[in-house]
Structure formats: C-alpha cells, structure tokens
Amino acid sequence: MKIKRKKFVITIDGPASSGKSTTAKMLAKKLNCIYIDSGSMYRAVALYLKDNSIDLENENALKEVLYEINIEILYKPEKNENAIFLNGKDVSTKIRNSEITNYSSIIAKKKIIRERMVELQRKMAETQSIIMDGRDIGTVVFPDADFKFFLKASIDERAKRRFLEMKDKSASSETESRFSRVWRMDNISLGKIKKDLKWRDRTDSNREISPLKMANDAIEIDTTNLTIEEQTQKILDILKYEITL
Ligand code: C5P
C-alpha cells in the first residue's frame, strides 16, 4: 500500500497505553514509511538526566546536557520495531521501567526540553514520510499534518494492556523468574499500574506547555473494544481514498 501523496505526515496522539505506538508501527509497515514513537525520546532524556543526576531546576546545565545527548532511532527489520540509542547505547528496554516512565512525564514539563525534542522531531519529517505518535504531535509538532488521529481507551482497558505488556516483557527478560513470581503473587501491581496511568494522564493533560489534548482537526478513535488489527484497519479505512494498493 502507498499513500498517493508524495510525502506525508500522520500524527497519532492520545494518553498512555491507548495503543498509539503499536498502531503507528503496524500502519507504517502497511504504508511503507517510518514511524517514530516520540515518547521514547522523552524517556531517553529522562534516563540520561536521572543517570547523571542532573538538577531539573538548573536551566544552564539542562541546556548543555540537551546538546550532549545524542538520540538515534534505528529500525530493526527482524522485529519490525525501532530501537532507541542514547549516545550510542541501545536503551530500548531500560527506558520502559516504571521509574523512567514516571520521570519522563516530569521532565516533559520543561520548556527547554520540549523545544529541543520538537526541533528534532520536525527534522525527521523533512526528507521522508512519517507516522509519529505522542501527546502534542498533532497540536504542536505538526499542526499542518496531512492526517491526525487521537486514540483513547478506558482506564481499565489501558491498565490491563500495560499490565500484559509488562508481563510479556518481563517474561522475555533475564529477570524472568523474579518478575513472574511477583506477578503471580498478588494483584496489587495492576492497581499500581492504574494509579500510575492516572497520575501520568493528569500530569500530561495539565502541564502548561503542550498539554495532551486532541487537535481540533483530529479524528478520535475509541480503542477500548478494538484489537490492534481493528484499530489499524479503522485508520486504513479512513485513509482509503488516499491509498493506492
Ligand atoms: O508515549 P510514552 O508513554 O512512551 O511517553 C512517555 C512520556 O513522555 C509521557 O507520559 C509524556 O509525559 C511524555 N511525552 C510528551 N510528549 C510526547 C510524547 C511523550 O510529553 N509527544
């Protein structure tokens, strides 16, 4: 499948675990273009700031750091997914733990950090078609995007997805036995995931700069009762007049 336009930008925004990145990934495969999960960039910055104990209130230090950080996103065809490199090191797994997840929402409030991320994100679309997902992609990064989508899902469904995703990831990691024991022992983890998601929803929606919100011209899709295939198909159906098979 190919979009008829020479070069295009598709944005997918929405709250955490609404299915944005998986949908973006599947769509990119169908449409033969790249996808960027912009959240991974904020996560990589969060990891760097945490590992190097950078004080978030020290604007000068932040400014310096932002130009020291090199973020690279490389496509892994064998897995059909992107890997993220921070100063040459693959941090794809490390940036997904809950400490970095929550810290990414805190650092994402900082104007100076957002400005740098937006600059990098816009650069990525200069020479190629792109599908990018995040919180402010349709509103701030690409306000003139060709197609904009906003995915939402109930908090229970999102918590369940995140729970299963984490369980899946931990099962394939070296620490499998330790993690699987915790998962089986109690249900508190699901409650904690829900609490963290609600906190992130609040933090992302209420921040001063580029809060999470739907662009006026975005199409909203509720994914609560949809599978990834169904939600991807829904978007393809909307794009069908723009696509050549
Ligand atoms: O999408 P993901 O959950 O990986 O994003 C991690 C965090 O990065 C979000 O909670 C949000 O605070 C921040 N983020 C953002 N703007 C984006 C993408 C992510 O503020 N475009």
Side-chain angles (χ1 to χ4, degrees), residues 97-227:
N97 72 38
S98 56
E99 188 187 12
I100 296 302
T101 298
N102 289 342
Y103 196 51
S104 63
S105 269
I106 292 176
I107 65 107
K109 290 198 247 179
K110 291 295 238 184
K111 185 165 181 260
I112 185 172
I113 294 178
R114 299 206 72 84
E115 281 172 352
R116 179 71 178 138
M117 294 301 107
V118 171
E119 187 186 336
L120 294 173
Q121 289 154 3
R122 288 186 180 147
K123 238 186 202 130
M124 290 174 193
E126 271 172 10
T127 53
Q128 57 199 334
S129 292
I130 199 166
I131 302 176
M132 191 176 288
D133 78 85
R135 305 293 188 287
D136 61 338
I137 311 301
T139 50
V140 174
V141 184
F142 300 117
D144 300 323
D146 301 84
F147 307 98
K148 297 182 186 179
F149 297 94
F150 190 89
L151 303 192
K152 63 172 196 181
S154 73
I155 181 75
D156 285 326
E157 178 58 28
R158 289 190 287 130
K160 197 177 91 194
R161 286 178 193 168
R162 180 122 182 91
F163 177 84
L164 292 174
E165 183 196 339
M166 287 171 82
K167 200 173 153 192
D168 216 40
K169 286 230 165 84
S170 67
S172 57
S173 79
E174 295 160 4
T175 42
E176 179 181 356
S177 54
R178 186 164 63 88
F179 274 111
S180 25
R181 226 181 303 132
V182 176
W183 294 119
R184 263 186 248 120
M185 239 162 50
D186 56 33
N187 258 332
I188 296 167
S189 308
L190 185 59
K192 164 92 167 75
I193 286 173
K194 202 158 143 181
K195 202 171 137 215
D196 280 357
L197 277 178
K198 283 186 175 169
W199 176 83
R200 264 204 305 151
D201 284 354
R202 264 199 321 274
T203 311
D204 292 347
S205 308
N206 296 332
R207 68 175 170 232
E208 243 169 75
I209 311 152
S210 312
L212 163 67
K213 74 168 188 245
M214 187 167 99
N216 292 334
D217 50 351
I219 298 172
E220 186 179 74
I221 299 177
D222 187 336
T223 70
T224 308
N225 298 307
L226 299 180
T227 62

